[in-house]
Every structure is written in structure tokens, then in C-alpha cells.
Amino acid sequence: MTDENQMKTEPPVKLKGVGGGLWITIDPSRPEDLIKREVKTLFERLRNLAINAEVVIDTGGAKGHEALIKELKTYLIETFHVKTVKKPPEKRSVPVERIRQRDLSRSFNHHRSDVMMLRGRVRSGQKIESKKHIVIAGDVNPGAEISAGGDIIVLGRLKGKVHAGVPDNHNSIIFALEFNPTQVRIGSITAAGVKESSKSAAEFASIDREGIVVQDYLKVNPFGKIPWPEVI
């Protein structure tokens, strides 16, 4: 069987479930009318399962078919009430991935970190200082003071005074599994501590519009915008 004949026996549209959504793979070399009919048939079989689904349309890397994708998107949203229709995320080239992995490995092998890591409780009256980041696997009691040139990460209860980003790094954050400090300072901005609450949730403080705000870590995730691991 020739490649051309094999291609004709392959369905022009393939549909599979991925995560909580649907992934459509189309063969844009086939007639558009055929592709549209196949999409209609497949989604009619799904019935209510397509409602509010997140759909990805994959052309297998073929370029120049934006008009077809746009037409399918409009059809699926208006007819089957899917939630979103988008193209698959672009894959990084293998050379780029290899270069990044190589650089990251070199960083781990040759980098001497000034990050201070502590394990145990920081008690009242104790002062901890570091030129870069501080990570504490334990609690920080009221009356304790922590200051760092970068971020402060507390894997426990934070109830003392904390100053991140010393002296003027306003991009630093203060994170704790239980966030109840008596005083918070980031760079040159200072805020009073927060009232102790019964809520037990990981939170972090950062600067937003010249003020310090405290947010739920799981909902905002300050590190989510970093696309690649950084050696600190």
C-alpha cells in the first residue's frame, strides 16, 4: 500500500480525551467539507459530554490553516457549547531543551549558594540574617526576627518579625504555611502583622502597587510565572 493510499484510509479527524478536555487531531490535507462532517459526527455522539469542555485542535504541525481552525471553533462553541477551543501549546525544540538542561546541571555543579537553610524552631529573642534567601523548616515564634536580602520561606508557623528584600528588593516574598507575623517588611515597605485566624492555609506576602498584600499561595502561586527552574 502506498503512502497516499494509507493516508486516505486514515480518518481525517481523531478525537480523544486529555485530562478534563478533548483533543481533536485533524488532517488539513484532506477536504475541509470532509473534516467538518467528521467533527460534527464525533461531537454529536458525545452529546452532553461536550458541554463546557476545553477543546484543543491539533493540525499535526501543519501551518496556514487558521481560517479552518477559526471556523471549527465558532461551530463547536455555538452548536455544542464547548467552553474553549485553542491550538496546542508550542513545543520547545529539542536543542533548546538540551541547552537549558545542560545549563541547569552546570549551575547545580558549580554554583555556591548563599541561601541559608535552617531546621527547627526559631525562638523569641533570636535574630536570623542572610544576604540572600532564608528557608526555615520549622516555626518562627513571636519575638524572633528574620531578615534576608531575598525571599523568606517558612515551612511552619510564622509569628515573629520578618524583613525580606533587604535593603530595597521589592520583588521578594515572604511565605509561610501559617502566616501570622507581628510585623512584615519587604524592601523599604513596612506593614503591621496580620490578625491570627483559625484559617490554616499557606500564604505569602508581596508588594502590589506600593503596598504589601497577603494572598493564598495555592490560588496565586508567585512562582508560577517562572517558566524554568532557577538556581538561587
Side-chain angles (χ1 to χ4, degrees), residues 24-84:
I24 305 173
T25 302
I26 65 175
D27 180 357
S29 67
R30 309 289 284 276
E32 289 191 6
D33 289 343
L34 176 60
I35 292 174
K36 293 173 186 176
R37 287 199 304 271
E38 287 293 316
V39 169
K40 178 182 178 182
T41 300
L42 290 172
F43 272 80
E44 283 179 342
R45 291 174 183 170
L46 290 174
R47 297 181 181 274
N48 293 336
L49 294 177
I51 296 175
N52 290 327
E54 296 182 353
V55 178
V56 173
I57 298 180
D58 186 359
T59 60
K63 305 295 183 181
H65 301 283
E66 284 74 15
L68 174 59
I69 294 175
K70 184 177 181 181
E71 191 173 346
L72 290 173
K73 174 181 179 179
T74 302
Y75 172 70
L76 291 173
I77 291 176
E78 292 181 353
T79 306
F80 298 101
H81 307 292
V82 303
K83 183 178 180 181
T84 60

Side-chain angles (χ1 to χ4, degrees), residues 183-194:
Q183 186 185 77
V184 175
R185 188 173 183 185
I186 300 177
S188 59
I189 309 297
T190 304
V194 298

